[in-house]
Amino acid sequence: MSDSFIKFDDVSHGYGDLPAQGKFAVENISLEVHTGGFIAIVGPSGCGKSTFMKLTTGLQKPSRGRITVGGNEVNGPLSFSGMAFQAPTLLPWRTTLENILLPLEIVEPFRFDFRKKKDEYIQRALKLLESVGLKGYADKFPWELSGGMQQRASICRALIHQPKMLLLDEPFGALDAFTREELWNILKDLWTEQQFNVILVTHDLREAVYLADTVYVMSKSPGKIVFKREIDLPRPRDLEITYTEAFTNIVHELRGHIGSIRSGK
Amino acid sequence: MSDSFIKFDDVSHGYGDLPAQGKFAVENISLEVHTGGFIAIVGPSGCGKSTFMKLTTGLQKPSRGRITVGGNEVNGPLSFSGMAFQAPTLLPWRTTLENILLPLEIVEPFRFDFRKKKDEYIQRALKLLESVGLKGYADKFPWELSGGMQQRASICRALIHQPKMLLLDEPFGALDAFTREELWNILKDLWTEQQFNVILVTHDLREAVYLADTVYVMSKSPGKIVFKREIDLPRPRDLEITYTEAFTNIVHELRGHIGSIRSGK
Amino acid sequence: MKKKNFLEKNAAIVLFIALLVIWQLICTVFKVSEFIFPSPIQIGQNLFEFRTEILRHSWVTFWTTMVGFGISIMVGVMLGFLIGSSKIAYDALYPIMTAFNALPKAAFVPILVVWFGIGAGPAILTAFLISFFPIMVNIATALATIEPELEDVLRVLGASKKDIIVKIGMPRCLPFFFASLKVAITLAFVGTTVSEMSASNEGIGYLLISAGSSMRLPLAFAGLVSIGVMAMSMYELFAVIERKKTAWAHRS
Amino acid sequence: MKKKNFLEKNAAIVLFIALLVIWQLICTVFKVSEFIFPSPIQIGQNLFEFRTEILRHSWVTFWTTMVGFGISIMVGVMLGFLIGSSKIAYDALYPIMTAFNALPKAAFVPILVVWFGIGAGPAILTAFLISFFPIMVNIATALATIEPELEDVLRVLGASKKDIIVKIGMPRCLPFFFASLKVAITLAFVGTTVSEMSASNEGIGYLLISAGSSMRLPLAFAGLVSIGVMAMSMYELFAVIERKKTAWAHRS
Amino acid sequence: QTAIKFQLDWRFEGPSAFFLEPAAKGYFKQVGLDVSIDAGNGSGNAVNRVASGSYDIGFADMAALMEFHGNNPDAPNKPVAVMMVYNNTPASVITIKGSNVKKISDLTGKKLGAPVFDAGRRSFQLFQDANKLGPVNWISMDPALRETMLVKGDLDAITGFGFTSILNLEARGIKAEDIIAFPFAQNGVKLYGNAIIVSPKLIKENPAAIKAFLEAFTKGAKEVIANPDDSIQYVKQKDGIINVDLEKRRLRLAIKDAVVTPDAKAEGFGTLSLPRLALMASQVSDIYKTKTRVNPDFVWDGSFLPLASLKTVLPK
Ligand SMILES: Nc1ncnc2c1ncn2[C@@H]1O[C@H](COP(=O)(O)OP(=O)(O)OP(=O)(O)O)[C@@H](O)[C@H]1O
Ligand SMILES: Nc1ncnc2c1ncn2[C@@H]1O[C@H](COP(=O)(O)OP(=O)(O)OP(=O)(O)O)[C@@H](O)[C@H]1O
Ligand SMILES: Cc1ncc(C[n+]2csc(CCO)c2C)c(N)n1
Ligand SMILES: [Mg+2]
Ligand SMILES: [Mg+2]
C-alpha cells in the first residue's frame, strides 16, 4: 500500500541495556496505517503500548527494525504530532491556558507569528477548553485542577496545533462515563472534519471499537501484535451504535482475545 | 449509630481563599460509615471526590463542619490510613520495593522494629507485588514501570501496613479489564479477611457495585451527595454476580442518577 | 492563609534588634574594648559621624559590585546552560571550574591591577570571577536533572534543545536560580571589597583597610554594616521578584 | 548507551592540557615576564623544586579546610532545614544571613586571631564561615519547593515533619545538595587560604604571601596549582558519590 | 619553663632571625622560657594581639604602638615597649632611574604609591616638612604591588621599608645602581622603628620572664649582627621556601639601615633617648591624628633591659 502514513517494519525495542540481553518491551511489530487512519491499541498493562507511542513519534529510537512516518524514516522526534501522554504532564509553572498554548510556541507555522496572533490563539484555546468542560479554569494552575481535569487539559494541548498525527495514551481513563462519551464525540467530529491520523491507546474496548478503523491487540510483555481487527461499522457513527449487536459482538470478540492472552500465559 | 467509624457532619471545603467567597469544592457533606464499612464514591470529573478523600485523612482541614474518624475529630493527618492517590506519586529515588516499604518506615508499630524485621517486611512486600502482577519489578525504579504498573505499585504501598482505613482514588483506572477484575477480587478478599474501612473513588460503576456496601453519588462541582445506594447484594460475592440482573439493575440505576446530574445542569 | 501576627511579619527586624541588644550587652558587661570587637553603639556613632564618607565609598562599592554581578549572571547562566546541556562540556569544564574557584581571588587582584590599573576594573573583574560559579552550578544541576517526562512534552513537538531549555529548563530551575543569586550577590560584594582592599583609593574595601590601619575598628565595622545593608537590600529585591516568579514552586 | 570515544572519556584532561599549551604559548610568544604572569613551565619547575615544602603546606591547608568544610556541612544542612521548613525562620534568618555573607571574611580574621591565636583555629573558622551559606541556601530552597503531592504521600501516614524531611526533603534535594557542596568546597579552600595569608605560619596561604612578597610569582602559582588540584580531587570525590546517590535524577 | 607566646611583625624573613636564632639555639630555654614564635602580618596587628592578650610579647613599630596608646586611652591592657631594636625606621622613599624623580625636591606633586598602612606613607608628612616638599598624590595598593607599578611606570616613587622594596625592585630586574632610596633616617626624620613590646599583664605577673627574654634575645642579637649570613639557616628551618641569598641580603640591609646605625651607636643598642621618644610621641600624635596625645612615659619601660649585655652587642 503506497498510501501508508505510518509503517512499522519488524520493530523491536527495549530500554537501557536490556536489548543487548535480548529482552524487549515490544517485539517484532509490523503494521501500516494509511493516511488519515484511526487505529486503537489495546492490551494488558505493561505490554508496551506507551512504548509503541514513543516509537511512533520518535521519542525512542527502535533497538531493531525500521519505522517510517509520512514517507521518511523516523530518526528523532517528529514535528507534526500531538500527543496526550498517559500522565497529564502539565507544566506546573504555567496556567492551564499557557500549558495549552505551548505547542503553538514551538511548532511552525504558529510559532512564527505567535506574538502577533496570540489573541486569536488564546480564543482557540479557550474554545477548546470549553469543549472539554473546563470553561473558567484557563487561569488556574495544573495543581488546582482535579485529576480528570488535568487529563482533559492535556488532551487540549495535544489538539491545539491541529497535528497531522494525534497520539492519545489512555486519554479518558480518569473520566466518568458521560464525560468520556462526550469527548469521544468531540474527537470523532474533529477527526471526521480534519482527517488526521490517530493512534489511541485504551483499556476501554467500547471506546476502541466506537472510534477506530482498526483495533490492534497486543500480547503481554514483550508486546507483540497478536490480533488485528478492522472495524467495519459504518460511519458516521453515533453513540446509538454502541447498543447494536454488531458493536457488542466486536467488543466481545476483542475481549475474548485479550482474555486468552492472559490465560495463555 | 454509635458504631460509626467515619462521620462527616455538614462539611464544606474549598481551597485557598475561595471559601471566603462562598465557593467550595465540596459542600454540605454529611455521612456516616460504620466500622469495617466499604463505601464507593462516584461522580463526574472535578466534583470533589479527591477532596473528600483528603478531608477524610486529614490532609485538608474542612473550611466548615466537623469530621470524626474512629471517635476523634480529625485535626491533622491520621496515622492509621493507607491511601492510593489518583496519581501514582511513587518517589522517584526509591525502587518499587523501597517505595512499598515506605509506610513501614513511618507507621508504628512497624517503624519500631523496621530494621530488625526488614527481611520479613521485604517478603511481605514481594508477595504483595506478586499478587498485583509485578513479580520481578521490585528493583526497578518507578520511571521504569508502565503507567498501570505504577498504579499497581501504589496500591501495594497503600496496603502494606494493613491500615484500618484504606482510601483508593481511582486505583484501577489505568488497568485493562482483566487485571482490574483480578485486583477487585484481591481487594475484596483482603477486606473480607481483615474488615478494615474502605473508601473507593471510581468511575466504573460495576466496580463500585461489586465491591462496596454503599455507593454515594456526588453532584457536579460544588460536590454534594445527591444519592446514596445501599448495595444489598449478598456476600461473599464473586464475579458471576456482575452478570446477574440485580447487579445490572443497580448499575443502571446509578448510571441514571449520574446522567441526570449532567443534564440537570 | 491565617493572619500573621506582628512577630511573623517583622521577624527579620525583631531578630536583628535582638541580636544588636545582645551584642551591646556583651560588649558592655564584659567591657570588650573597641579594638577587639566594637559595640553597636560605637559603630552607630561612627556610622553617623562619617556618614558622607561612608555613603560615598558605599556608592562606589555598590555600582562596581552591580556591574560585576551583572556580568556574572550572564556568564554564569551561559556556562550553566552549556554544562547542564552537554555531557562533554560538563565533564570537561566542571572540574576545571571547580579548581579555579577554589583559588583565592585576592591572589589575582595584583595581576588584574597590572593589566587594568587601579580602580574599578580589577574590582569588577574580581566580583565577577568570584560570583559566577554558584550561578553556573545551580543552573547546570537544574538542567541536568530535568525530568525526561517533562522534556518529552516538548520533544514530541519537535522542539529544539534551545526550546527545551527556554520552556522547561529555565522556569524549572528558577527557584534554584534565585537561590544562586542570593549566594552570588554576597560573593560579588566580597569580591569588590577584597579587590578594593588591595588596590583602590575608594570603596568600602579601601575604607576597611584605611580604618583598619589606623586601628579604628568601629569605623571599619561601620563600613561592614554598609555592605551588609546593601546586600540585604539586594536580597529583598530578589525576594520580591522571586515571590512573583516562582509562586508555583512554593505552593505547599 | 553508545560507546564513548577517547575525547569524551578524558574531556577534562584534554581541555586542561590544551589550556596549558595555550598559556605557555602566550607566555613564550609575548615574552610575558614571570612577575607579571608566570608560564606553566616556570610553575612546573617551582612545583618540582619545592615539592616537599608545597606538600607540607598543602597538607596543612587540606586538613584545615576539611575540618572547616565538615562543620559547614553540618551547620549549613541544619540551618537549611530550619529555614526551609519554618516560614518564620526563613523570614527572620535569611536576610541577616545574606548580609553576613556579603562581608569579606578576611576582615574577621584579625578578630578570630584575638580569640584563637594564629594557626588552624582562625583558618577552620574562616573556612566554615565562608562556605556554609551556599549549602544552607540550596537545602532551604529544595525544602521550600517540595511538591505538596509528594509530601502528602507521607503526611497521610501520619508522618512527622522530621520524617518528611528525612524521607522526601533529603533525597529530593540531594542533587542540589551536591551542587552546593561543589560551591562550598571551593569557598572553604578560599577561606582557609585567606586566613592563612594573614594569620598563620604555614599552609598554602602563608606560602602565597611569602612567595608573593619576595616576588616569586611562579612559586605562588605553584601553590595555587596545589589548591586547584586539591579542590579538583574533592570535586571528583563528590562526583563519584553523586553518581551513585542521584542516578535517579540524572536519568534523561 | 614559662610558656611565652611571641608575635612577629612580619613573616619569617631575614630580620626574623633576631628571634629565630636564639630560639633555635635554645637561649630562651636556658633562661627558663618556652617561647613559641608566630609569623605576623603587620605591626598594627602585632600591637593588637599583644593588647588583647593573645600574645605575651611582640615585635612592632614604635609608631604603631604609640598610635594604639593615643587612640585607646581607656584600653586596660596597653602594650609597653621594653627594648628598642630598629633604632631607625627602615621607612624610605624609593624610586628608580628613569622616573622623573631625581632628587628629593622633585617629589612635590608626584604620584607616590603605597598601601595606606605603610609606615612611610603614614609618616610622610614628617618627611615632607623636613625636606620642604609640597603635597604629593597617593595611590593605594597592596604592598607587593607597589614595586611592580613603579617599574611599569604607573608611579613616580614609592614608600616602603628599604630592605623590602630595594630587594623587590631587584627581583624585577632593576639593577642595584638604578635604585634611588631616600631613607627617612638620613633625611631628617628620626623616628624609632621596631621595638619589643610586652603586655602589662606580663609585667605585673612575671617581670622576671621579661628580663630573661631580653637577656636571651640580646645574646642572640649579638650573634646575628656578628654573623648575619649564618643566621638565615634558622629562618630557613621555619620557612623552607625562602630564598636564602635574598634573605641574607635582606637581613644585612636591615642591620645596616635600622639596627647598626649611627643613631643606634650613639644611644646604645636596645635603649633609646627619652627626648627623641617624646618628640616622636608628639609627632605621631600630630600626623596620625590620635584621639588623645601620646604620653611617652606610658609607651616605654626601660627597666627590664639587660644593660650589661647590651653594651657588647654592637660592633665597635
Ligand atoms: N523508561 C523506561 N525504562 C525502562 N523500562 C521501561 C521504561 N518505560 C517502560 N518500560 C518497560 O517497558 C514495558 C512496557 O511499558 P509501557 O509503558 O510501554 O507499557 P504500557 O503498555 O503502556 O502499560 P500501561 O497500560 O500500564 O501503561 C514495561 O515492562 C516497562 O517496565
Ligand atoms: N490544590 C487545589 N487547589 C485549588 N483548587 C483545587 C485543588 N485541588 C482541587 N481543586 C478544585 O477542587 C475541585 C474538586 O477537585 P477534586 O480533585 O476533588 O475532584 P475529583 O472529584 O477528584 O475529580 P476527578 O474525578 O477529575 O479526579 C475542582 O474544581 C478543582 O479545581
Ligand atoms: C621584614 C619586614 N618587611 C616589611 C615590613 C613592613 N610591613 C609591616 S606591616 C606590612 C603590611 C602588612 O600588613 C608591611 C609591608 C616589616 N614590618 N617587616
Ligand atoms: Mg502506558
Ligand atoms: Mg480526583
Side-chain angles (χ1 to χ4, degrees):
Chain A
M1 219 203 297
S2 69
D3 178 36
S4 74
F5 185 72
I6 303 168
K7 190 167 171 197
F8 272 61
D9 204 357
D10 199 25
V11 169
S12 300
H13 184 64
Y15 292 90
D17 44 9
L18 288 180
Q21 305 164 34
K23 289 184 192 164
F24 297 102
V26 295
E27 220 173 67
N28 306 332
I29 307 266
S30 295
L31 58 76
E32 285 185 39
V33 186
H34 65 89
T35 308
F38 193 137
I39 67 165
I41 316 248
V42 299
S45 169
C47 73
K49 301 180 295 297
S50 301
T51 304
F52 176 83
M53 302 290 244
K54 288 188 205 158
L55 287 169
T56 313
T57 52
L59 285 179
Q60 290 278 341
K61 276 189 82 158
S63 313
R64 278 197 212 153
R66 212 176 114 95
I67 304 168
T68 39
V69 173
N72 303 311
E73 179 161 0
V74 178
N75 268 318
L78 306 168
S79 58
F80 48 76
S81 38
M83 178 147 169
F85 293 85
Q86 192 166 6
T89 58
L90 300 171
L91 307 182
W93 50 87
R94 288 179 166 238
T95 61
T96 308
L97 177 66
E98 288 164 350
N99 261 292
I100 291 172
L101 290 177
L102 184 67
L104 303 181
E105 296 170 25
I106 301 294
V107 177
E108 298 291 0
F110 312 98
R111 173 184 195 139
F112 175 70
D113 51 9
F114 182 75
R115 263 154 216 272
K116 234 173 39 204
K117 294 210 192 158
K118 190 157 180 188
D119 286 340
E120 184 192 325
Y121 292 156
I122 290 178
Q123 287 317 312
R124 192 199 285 190
L126 292 176
K127 240 176 72 189
L128 214 48
L129 273 175
E130 190 176 347
S131 73
V132 300
L134 289 180
K135 190 176 173 164
Y137 289 92
D139 296 328
K140 299 262 179 196
F141 283 92
W143 30 274
E144 295 176 307
L145 302 183
S146 77
M149 290 164 143
Q150 289 177 26
Q151 211 176 26
R152 284 178 275 162
S154 151
I155 297 171
C156 293
R157 187 175 61 186
L159 289 170
I160 185 101
H161 57 299
Q162 305 181 325
K164 276 209 283 185
M165 185 168 78
L166 179 66
L167 298 102
L168 302 172
D169 198 345
E170 297 184 37
F172 313 122
L175 302 177
D176 59 293
F178 289 92
T179 312
R180 185 182 296 211
E181 288 174 2
E182 222 171 80
L183 290 183
W184 288 356
N185 286 336
I186 291 172
L187 175 62
K188 189 193 64 185
D189 295 345
L190 272 178
W191 176 74
T192 316
E193 203 177 285
Q194 298 171 19
Q195 287 292 322
F196 42 83
N197 271 72
V198 184
I199 305 182
L200 171 73
V201 165
T202 182
H203 289 304
D204 185 338
L205 297 178
R206 288 175 66 247
E207 180 172 304
V209 175
Y210 179 60
L211 291 171
D213 294 329
T214 317
V215 177
Y216 290 90
V217 179
M218 281 178 77
S219 70
K220 251 183 159 172
S221 185
K224 305 181 195 193
I225 290 178
V226 289
F227 186 65
K228 170 183 175 184
R229 177 66 156 95
E230 303 286 345
I231 310 297
D232 36 21
L233 299 171
R235 293 197 186 260
R237 302 171 188 166
D238 66 22
L239 282 174
E240 291 305 312
I241 210 173
T242 61
Y243 302 108
T244 62
E245 210 188 305
F247 186 91
T248 14
N249 282 346
I250 302 178
V251 171
H252 275 136
E253 184 188 339
L254 288 170
R255 195 170 225 283
H257 275 283
I258 298 179
S260 70
I261 293 170
R262 296 187 58 77
S263 48
K265 253 228 167 168
Chain B
M1 219 202 296
S2 68
D3 177 37
S4 74
F5 185 72
I6 302 169
K7 191 169 171 199
F8 273 60
D9 204 357
D10 199 25
V11 169
S12 300
H13 184 64
Y15 291 90
D17 43 10
L18 289 179
Q21 306 164 34
K23 289 185 194 165
F24 297 101
V26 294
E27 219 173 70
N28 305 333
I29 307 265
S30 294
L31 58 75
E32 285 186 38
V33 185
H34 66 88
T35 308
F38 193 137
I39 68 166
I41 317 249
V42 298
S45 170
C47 72
K49 302 179 294 297
S50 300
T51 304
F52 175 84
M53 301 290 245
K54 288 188 206 159
L55 287 169
T56 313
T57 52
L59 285 179
Q60 290 277 340
K61 276 189 84 156
S63 313
R64 281 196 210 152
R66 209 176 117 94
I67 302 168
T68 38
V69 172
N72 303 310
E73 180 160 0
V74 178
N75 268 319
L78 306 167
S79 57
F80 48 76
S81 37
M83 177 145 169
F85 293 86
Q86 193 165 6
T89 58
L90 299 173
L91 307 182
W93 50 86
R94 288 179 167 238
T95 60
T96 309
L97 177 67
E98 287 164 353
N99 261 292
I100 293 172
L101 290 177
L102 184 67
L104 303 181
E105 296 169 26
I106 301 294
V107 177
E108 297 292 0
F110 310 98
R111 174 185 193 136
F112 176 69
D113 50 10
F114 182 75
R115 265 154 215 273
K116 236 176 34 206
K117 294 211 193 158
K118 189 157 181 191
D119 286 340
E120 183 191 325
Y121 292 157
I122 290 177
Q123 287 317 312
R124 192 199 285 193
L126 291 176
K127 240 175 72 190
L128 214 47
L129 272 176
E130 189 175 347
S131 72
V132 300
L134 288 180
K135 189 174 173 166
Y137 289 92
D139 295 329
K140 299 262 179 195
F141 283 93
W143 31 276
E144 296 177 308
L145 302 183
S146 78
M149 289 164 142
Q150 289 177 25
Q151 209 176 26
R152 284 177 275 162
S154 151
I155 297 171
C156 293
R157 186 176 61 186
L159 289 170
I160 184 99
H161 57 298
Q162 305 180 326
K164 275 209 284 187
M165 184 167 78
L166 179 66
L167 298 103
L168 302 171
D169 198 345
E170 298 184 37
F172 312 122
L175 302 177
D176 59 290
F178 289 92
T179 314
R180 186 182 296 211
E181 288 174 1
E182 223 171 78
L183 291 183
W184 289 356
N185 286 337
I186 291 172
L187 175 62
K188 189 194 62 186
D189 294 345
L190 271 178
W191 174 74
T192 317
E193 201 177 287
Q194 298 171 19
Q195 288 291 323
F196 41 85
N197 271 73
V198 184
I199 305 183
L200 170 74
V201 165
T202 182
H203 289 304
D204 185 338
L205 298 179
R206 289 176 65 246
E207 180 173 304
V209 175
Y210 179 60
L211 291 171
D213 294 330
T214 318
V215 177
Y216 291 90
V217 179
M218 281 177 77
S219 70
K220 252 181 153 172
S221 184
K224 304 182 193 192
I225 290 178
V226 290
F227 186 65
K228 170 181 175 185
R229 177 65 156 97
E230 303 285 347
I231 311 297
D232 35 23
L233 298 173
R235 292 200 186 257
R237 302 171 190 166
D238 65 24
L239 282 174
E240 290 306 311
I241 209 172
T242 61
Y243 302 108
T244 62
E245 210 186 306
F247 186 91
T248 15
N249 282 345
I250 303 178
V251 171
H252 275 134
E253 183 189 342
L254 288 170
R255 196 170 221 285
H257 274 283
I258 298 179
S260 70
I261 293 170
R262 297 185 57 76
S263 48
K265 252 232 167 163
Chain C
M1 268 166 240
K2 59 183 163 137
K3 253 202 296 176
K4 287 179 179 181
N5 62 25
F6 174 81
L7 202 77
E8 275 170 2
K9 249 188 284 185
N10 302 287
I13 293 163
V14 171
L15 179 68
F16 187 66
I17 292 175
L19 284 179
L20 281 189
V21 170
I22 294 171
W23 176 3
Q24 181 66 49
L25 276 179
I26 292 176
C27 285
T28 314
V29 172
F30 295 97
K31 299 205 173 53
V32 179
S33 9
E34 68 168 42
F35 68 90
I36 292 183
F37 211 107
S39 76
I41 289 179
Q42 290 164 330
I43 296 171
Q45 284 165 345
N46 274 270
L47 257 179
F48 182 75
E49 190 178 341
F50 298 98
R51 60 190 176 281
T52 44
E53 278 301 296
I54 292 177
L55 267 181
R56 186 172 69 82
H57 287 300
S58 298
W59 170 244
V60 173
T61 300
F62 183 75
W63 77 255
T64 321
T65 306
M66 284 308 118
V67 176
F69 182 59
I71 302 176
S72 103
I73 292 181
M74 286 190 320
V75 174
V77 168
M78 270 167 30
L79 282 176
F81 278 163
L82 182 66
I83 286 184
S85 53
S86 147
K87 178 94 181 67
I88 193 162
Y90 191 101
D91 288 344
L93 286 176
Y94 215 145
I96 289 175
M97 288 287 176
T98 311
F100 174 73
N101 272 279
L103 311 182
K105 298 304 160 298
F108 291 102
V109 176
I111 294 170
L112 296 179
V113 171
V114 171
W115 293 342
F116 299 96
I118 283 183
I124 290 174
L125 265 167
T126 314
F128 154 60
L129 286 178
I130 206 173
S131 67
F132 79 92
F133 189 62
I135 300 179
M136 179 193 98
V137 166
N138 265 16
I139 294 217
T141 306
L143 290 187
T145 56
I146 294 181
E147 294 88 346
E149 292 77 21
L150 288 189
E151 226 172 290
D152 281 353
V153 170
L154 281 202
R155 292 216 302 139
V156 83
L157 298 167
S160 66
K161 193 122 199 171
K162 188 175 147 264
D163 287 334
I164 295 176
I165 287 186
V166 172
K167 305 283 178 191
I168 300 206
M170 295 235 273
R172 206 197 77 117
C173 69
L174 219 50
F176 287 94
F177 176 64
F178 279 106
S180 71
L181 287 190
K182 291 171 194 167
V183 176
I185 188 68
T186 69
L187 291 178
F189 274 110
V190 171
T192 307
T193 317
V194 162
S195 171
E196 286 168 351
M197 279 166 108
S198 61
S200 181
N201 298 315
E202 45 187 3
I204 296 289
Y206 173 83
L207 180 95
L208 287 179
I209 286 289
S210 167
S213 74
S214 46
M215 291 184 258
R216 288 154 71 183
L217 228 56
L219 178 56
F221 267 70
L224 292 179
V225 167
S226 166
I227 298 179
V229 169
M230 290 189 284
M232 223 191 281
S233 322
M234 291 304 296
Y235 169 86
E236 292 298 344
L237 176 68
F238 298 151
V240 169
I241 307 176
E242 186 183 14
R243 262 196 292 278
K244 278 199 194 156
K245 297 275 171 191
T246 68
W248 63 271
H250 290 269
R251 64 198 134 102
S252 59
Chain D
M1 270 167 238
K2 58 182 164 132
K3 254 202 296 175
K4 288 178 177 180
N5 62 26
F6 174 80
L7 201 79
E8 275 171 359
K9 248 187 284 182
N10 301 287
I13 294 163
V14 171
L15 179 68
F16 188 67
I17 292 175
L19 285 178
L20 282 189
V21 170
I22 295 171
W23 176 1
Q24 180 66 49
L25 277 178
I26 292 177
C27 287
T28 315
V29 173
F30 295 99
K31 300 208 173 51
V32 179
S33 54
E34 70 166 40
F35 68 86
I36 290 187
F37 211 107
S39 75
I41 291 179
Q42 290 165 330
I43 296 170
Q45 284 165 345
N46 274 271
L47 257 178
F48 182 75
E49 189 178 339
F50 296 98
R51 59 190 177 280
T52 44
E53 281 301 305
I54 292 177
L55 268 179
R56 186 172 70 85
H57 287 300
S58 299
W59 169 244
V60 173
T61 300
F62 183 76
W63 78 255
T64 321
T65 306
M66 285 308 118
V67 176
F69 182 59
I71 301 175
S72 103
I73 293 181
M74 284 188 324
V75 174
V77 168
M78 269 166 32
L79 282 174
F81 279 161
L82 181 65
I83 287 183
S85 54
S86 146
K87 178 92 181 72
I88 194 163
Y90 190 100
D91 289 344
L93 286 176
Y94 215 146
I96 289 175
M97 288 288 176
T98 311
F100 175 73
N101 271 279
L103 312 181
K105 298 303 160 302
F108 292 101
V109 175
I111 294 169
L112 296 179
V113 171
V114 169
W115 294 336
F116 300 95
I118 78 168
I124 290 174
L125 265 166
T126 314
F128 153 61
L129 286 178
I130 205 172
S131 66
F132 80 92
F133 189 62
I135 301 179
M136 178 194 99
V137 166
N138 264 16
I139 293 215
T141 307
L143 290 187
T145 57
I146 293 182
E147 295 89 345
E149 292 77 22
L150 287 189
E151 225 172 292
D152 280 354
V153 170
L154 281 201
R155 291 216 301 139
V156 83
L157 297 167
S160 64
K161 193 123 197 166
K162 188 176 147 263
D163 286 333
I164 294 176
I165 287 186
V166 172
K167 304 284 179 189
I168 301 206
M170 295 234 272
R172 206 197 78 115
C173 68
L174 218 50
F176 287 94
F177 176 63
F178 279 106
S180 72
L181 287 191
K182 290 171 195 168
V183 176
I185 188 69
T186 69
L187 291 177
F189 273 111
V190 171
T192 306
T193 317
V194 162
S195 171
E196 286 168 350
M197 280 165 108
S198 62
S200 181
N201 304 320
E202 45 186 3
I204 296 289
Y206 178 83
L207 180 130
L208 285 179
I209 285 289
S210 178
S213 75
S214 48
M215 291 324 291
R216 290 156 69 188
L217 232 55
L219 178 55
F221 267 71
L224 292 178
V225 167
S226 165
I227 297 179
V229 169
M230 289 189 285
M232 223 192 281
S233 323
M234 290 306 294
Y235 169 85
E236 292 298 343
L237 176 68
F238 298 153
V240 169
I241 306 177
E242 186 183 14
R243 262 196 292 279
K244 278 200 194 152
K245 297 274 172 194
T246 68
W248 63 271
H250 290 269
R251 63 199 134 99
S252 59
Chain E
Q1 289 280 355
T2 310
I4 297 286
K5 291 191 72 191
F6 178 80
Q7 171 72 67
L8 279 170
D9 64 329
W10 202 235
R11 288 181 296 277
F12 301 124
E13 291 181 342
S16 63
F18 277 107
F19 300 92
L20 295 176
E21 178 160 343
K25 287 184 164 169
Y27 295 171
F28 292 124
K29 285 244 158 57
Q30 286 165 18
V31 295
L33 300 180
D34 176 18
V35 179
S36 62
I37 299 174
D38 281 336
N41 66 331
S43 292
N45 283 315
V47 174
N48 252 337
R49 290 170 193 177
V50 174
S52 67
S54 307
Y55 287 85
D56 306 305
I57 309 185
F59 189 50
D61 185 29
M62 179 59 90
L65 178 67
M66 286 180 167
E67 186 180 22
F68 184 86
H69 275 254
N71 278 336
N72 298 285
D74 307 325
N77 199 25
K78 290 192 280 290
V80 177
V82 292
M83 182 164 178
M84 184 51 61
V85 181
Y86 294 171
N87 189 290
N88 287 108
T89 175
S92 307
V93 174
I94 293 156
T95 185
I96 53 177
K97 285 230 173 84
S99 77
N100 46 19
V101 175
K102 311 274 185 269
K103 48 188 194 304
I104 291 184
S105 54
D106 290 343
L107 284 168
T108 302
K110 293 296 184 312
K111 263 191 291 183
L112 264 68
V116 285
F117 47 77
D118 180 72
R121 173 172 175 176
R122 299 196 68 203
S123 50
F124 189 73
Q125 206 193 319
L126 298 175
F127 189 85
Q128 259 172 321
D129 294 347
N131 296 284
K132 313 222 161 26
L133 298 176
V136 299
N137 296 318
W138 285 105
I139 314 257
S140 308
M141 70 200 69
D142 244 14
L145 260 174
R146 60 190 138 184
E147 291 89 7
T148 307
M149 299 200 58
L150 177 62
V151 173
K152 271 190 71 207
D154 295 339
L155 302 170
D156 299 313
I158 58 176
T159 61
F161 284 10
F163 53 72
T164 302
S165 291
I166 290 173
L167 295 176
N168 283 350
L169 285 168
E170 287 180 17
R172 281 169 186 73
I174 308 293
K175 288 203 272 311
E177 61 266 30
D178 291 344
I179 300 172
I180 310 166
F182 308 115
F184 280 32
Q186 291 161 35
N187 291 282
V189 183
K190 301 264 176 191
L191 294 176
Y192 283 111
N194 281 22
I196 294 173
I197 60 172
V198 302
S199 97
K201 199 162 144 269
L202 189 63
I203 295 181
K204 221 183 312 144
E205 290 171 2
N206 198 351
I210 301 173
K211 277 207 159 108
F213 183 91
L214 296 186
E215 183 74 58
F217 168 77
T218 306
K219 190 172 167 196
K222 185 176 166 188
E223 290 168 20
V224 171
I225 291 170
N227 201 347
D229 287 0
D230 227 32
S231 310
I232 296 302
Q233 56 176 301
Y234 305 109
V235 183
K236 178 87 175 174
Q237 278 170 15
K238 272 283 192 181
D239 182 356
I241 67 161
I242 62 159
N243 179 332
V244 170
D245 292 334
L246 186 78
E247 296 312 327
K248 283 179 182 167
R249 290 201 52 206
R250 194 191 307 280
L251 178 54
R252 274 192 257 121
L253 271 173
I255 292 173
K256 180 169 87 54
D257 289 350
V259 182
V260 189
T261 62
D263 289 317
K265 286 181 175 159
E267 291 171 7
F269 180 76
T271 183
L272 51 66
S273 135
L274 289 176
R276 190 178 148 199
L277 185 72
L279 173 65
M280 176 170 174
S282 132
Q283 287 175 329
V284 166
S285 307
D286 290 337
I287 58 171
Y288 286 22
K289 298 191 180 60
T290 54
K291 276 193 212 150
T292 59
R293 295 199 69 79
V294 179
N295 184 341
D297 301 340
F298 295 162
V299 177
W300 170 257
D301 182 347
S303 64
F304 302 97
L305 289 172
L307 292 170
S309 318
L310 288 179
K311 294 200 167 45
T312 66
V313 172
L314 297 182
K316 287 281 127 25

